Amino acid sequence: MALTREQIAMRVAQELQDGFYVNLGIGIPTLAANYVSTDIEVMLQSENGLLGMGPYPTEDQVDPDMINAGKETVTAVKGASIFSSAESFAMIRGGHVDLTVLGAFEVDQNGNIASYMIPGKLVKGMGGAMDLVAGAPNIIVTMTHADKHGNSKLLESCTLPLTGVNCIKKVITDLAVLDIRDGAFHLLETAPGISVEEVQAKTKGKLIVSDSVREMQFN
Amino acid sequence: MAGFNKVVTNYADAMNGLEDGMTVISGGFGLCGIPEGLIAQIKEMGVKDLTFVSNNCGVDDFGLGVLLENKQIKKMISSYVGENALFEKQFLSGELEVELTPQGTLAEKMRAGGAGIPAFYTATGYGTPVAEGKETREFNGRHYVLEEAITADFAIIRAWKADKMGNLIYRDTAMNFNPMAATAGKITVAEVEEIVEVGELEPTHIHTPGIYVNRVIKGNFEKRIEKLTLSR
């Protein structure tokens, strides 16, 4: 069975290591915060200018001056810091954020990502995504493996306007976990009940399957 | 002698000098940290063909959205403009010009503008539509795009506390673009929640030194919340 959004988020959460500063994009990446192991400490960065983002507020805690990059009301954890957008992107562009997780429309075998614009539809803008993919040393994309018509989103070459080039190192989908290196997708893990053949059929870009492919583990 | 007293007591004085065709930088992220009363004053003045530099363009009936409604904006330089039906309508009909700029590049363009740096190289946007027509250069094996700084005729910002000399402190994430915007206006107007006497603010706690600020006005803020999310 393909993973649900929550299950993808659970698998993403396993990528967060103790002591990491992490930027989680809107959607599935944000959900991952709910599944971070209690054995580790991570600090969440929100690119509007908050390091140490906490959970959503209770009704009593709601403050219009405390929002995240998705414009949602949030809280700050103990040890948080708040700063300007220039400072925020200095830490992003400067490579100080350990891990960025974001969604995409397409990713290709050279690590290119398209995530902000579908020609012919209204262009809403890239927000901070272009800075994030240009800056983080470690970037993971989460998305469904194929679109709702069954077309692969893991391509030989992105067809939509790019958000960044040669920057994506890992993709976590509803079917699989894959590394991107040396101009190919490398299959690392399959979702429970998903065959290697299905992943192959739904991956349009070059896919390398080693003998060590595992099934994803969930605790 | 006014000396360093930057305080003005009415909005007409706060925005005096704003004319048709001018460029205005606005602080704020979404509806958070926006100078609500200064935006309302620009609507009141009815000046047209404005270019606005702001991360977002408000919602239909609040923030910069009210200036769209009044057809006062000719061009927006923003990173994300998705929350606004009027925006979509005017953009698709060709009434409104839009220059999409990555968020970090936008912040740095303002910062550079205020700091006297005409342009800077960033890896952001290399190989994407953002880099089209721009100079690129390789440093240490990586590709970078040359981005030009932004300055404006007016900068309108919101702060939490000001002293009468225009020293400013922001509150929580309402800081966002405001400190950079403050530096990049020929005339910078700060709308604040509270004005205190000179000497009451701790010098090391000041976020924006008064040298950047020309006018200070005390506002009353609605502080509308764009997306109320609560813990369960």
Side-chain angles (χ1 to χ4, degrees):
Chain A
M1 278 272 290
L3 301 182
T4 62
R5 285 165 58 86
E6 282 72 21
Q7 287 170 319
I8 298 174
M10 286 165 79
R11 180 59 192 79
V12 168
Q14 295 172 16
E15 300 290 321
L16 276 54
Q17 297 176 24
D18 193 27
F20 263 21
Y21 294 102
V22 182
N23 184 294
L24 300 175
I26 293 164
I28 294 171
T30 294
L31 284 179
N34 299 333
Y35 303 106
V36 177
S37 162
T38 49
D39 301 336
I40 66 168
E41 266 191 303
V42 299
M43 286 287 263
L44 300 179
Q45 204 256 14
S46 191
E47 63 267 25
N48 54 317
L50 168 61
L51 184 62
M53 177 168 63
Y56 293 144
T58 61
E59 252 174 82
D60 294 345
Q61 292 173 324
V62 169
D63 181 339
D65 291 341
M66 273 301 294
I67 65 167
N68 65 17
K71 306 184 178 88
E72 301 170 324
T73 47
V74 290
T75 57
V77 299
K78 272 186 193 167
S81 53
I82 293 173
F83 34 81
S84 75
S85 300
E87 182 76 50
S88 178
F89 282 95
M91 60 183 75
I92 289 167
R93 222 187 286 105
H96 303 280
V97 175
D98 296 299
L99 173 66
T100 283
V101 187
L102 78 171
F105 300 137
E106 296 174 345
V107 168
D108 73 28
Q109 63 196 30
N110 292 310
N112 299 323
I113 171 174
S115 69
Y116 85 102
M117 175 180 179
I118 298 177
K121 290 197 179 173
L122 180 73
V123 183
K124 292 189 167 186
M126 67 293 284
M130 282 192 181
D131 305 279
L132 282 160
V133 298
N138 189 3
I139 306 170
I140 298 175
V141 161
T142 61
M143 59 182 189
T144 56
H145 212 93
D147 68 18
K148 58 185 172 202
H149 306 295
N151 300 311
S152 178
K153 292 156 82 170
L154 283 72
L155 306 174
E156 193 182 327
S157 180
C158 288
T159 62
L160 297 168
L162 297 178
T163 308
V165 294
N166 306 322
C167 53
I168 307 305
K169 307 285 196 308
K170 187 176 254 186
V171 185
I172 299 179
T173 75
D174 53 342
L175 305 182
V177 178
L178 311 97
D179 267 350
I180 302 175
R181 58 175 194 275
D182 309 326
F185 295 101
H186 295 254
L187 182 60
L188 302 178
E189 300 174 23
T190 52
I194 298 294
S195 66
V196 169
E197 290 70 28
E198 184 173 353
V199 176
Q200 280 172 321
K202 288 185 174 162
T203 305
K204 221 170 156 192
K206 185 176 176 190
L207 178 67
I208 293 174
V209 181
S210 73
D211 295 335
S212 57
V213 175
R214 302 182 297 134
E215 185 173 287
M216 287 182 207
Q217 299 295 313
F218 294 97
N219 300 317
Chain B
M1 190 185 79
F4 292 102
N5 186 356
K6 313 280 176 75
V7 177
V8 296
T9 51
N10 67 72
Y11 283 100
D13 288 345
M15 293 310 298
N16 183 32
L18 182 68
E19 292 172 9
D20 290 356
M22 281 186 166
T23 298
V24 182
I25 294 179
S26 177
F29 179 85
L31 302 181
C32 181
I34 58 173
E36 299 174 14
L38 299 178
I39 294 169
Q41 174 60 24
I42 294 172
K43 183 182 177 186
E44 177 74 28
M45 292 166 80
V47 283
K48 296 216 182 316
D49 296 326
L50 299 172
T51 294
F52 260 92
V53 186
S54 170
N55 191 57
N56 312 93
C57 195
V59 295
D60 282 338
D61 62 340
F62 200 66
L64 294 179
V66 301
L67 303 182
L68 281 179
E69 199 177 356
N70 226 14
K71 303 204 170 171
Q72 292 175 263
I73 303 178
K74 179 186 68 178
K75 180 177 177 182
M76 283 299 308
I77 301 174
S78 303
S79 87
Y80 192 85
V81 290
E83 351 270 4
N84 202 321
L86 260 177
F87 189 98
E88 181 171 350
K89 199 168 148 244
Q90 292 185 17
F91 176 67
L92 293 175
S93 74
E95 284 172 82
L96 180 65
E97 199 186 328
V98 179
E99 189 176 315
L100 287 175
T101 304
Q103 197 175 328
T105 297
L106 186 63
E108 194 65 14
K109 277 170 172 267
M110 293 181 195
R111 198 195 71 79
I117 295 168
F120 57 93
Y121 284 101
T122 175
T124 303
Y126 178 80
T128 78
V130 163
E132 279 168 20
K134 291 175 186 162
E135 197 180 315
T136 60
R137 188 166 159 185
E138 200 177 315
F139 295 93
N140 304 318
R142 256 200 107 181
H143 297 284
Y144 296 83
V145 183
L146 186 67
E147 293 281 4
E148 291 186 19
I150 292 178
T151 55
D153 299 295
F154 272 79
I156 58 171
I157 64 164
R158 188 225 281 184
W160 177 37
K161 284 185 182 178
D163 67 19
K164 290 179 174 174
M165 293 180 110
N167 292 307
L168 305 178
I169 295 176
Y170 305 96
R171 184 169 177 277
D172 291 346
T173 63
M175 179 187 293
N176 56 59
F177 280 84
N178 284 299
M180 289 77 67
T183 67
K186 285 197 193 91
I187 297 175
T188 292
V189 189
E191 188 181 18
V192 305
E193 295 181 48
E194 188 184 348
I195 299 176
V196 301
E197 290 301 325
V198 172
E200 281 186 44
L201 302 179
E202 184 66 39
T204 54
H205 291 174
I206 287 165
H207 292 125
T208 292
I211 193 169
Y212 296 110
V213 178
N214 301 91
R215 302 170 191 169
V216 175
I217 186 165
K218 187 186 171 309
N220 291 303
F221 298 94
E222 175 185 334
K223 293 196 182 182
R224 192 182 295 186
I225 291 173
E226 198 160 338
K227 288 178 194 164
L228 179 65
T229 42
L230 297 170
S231 63
R232 277 165 285 175

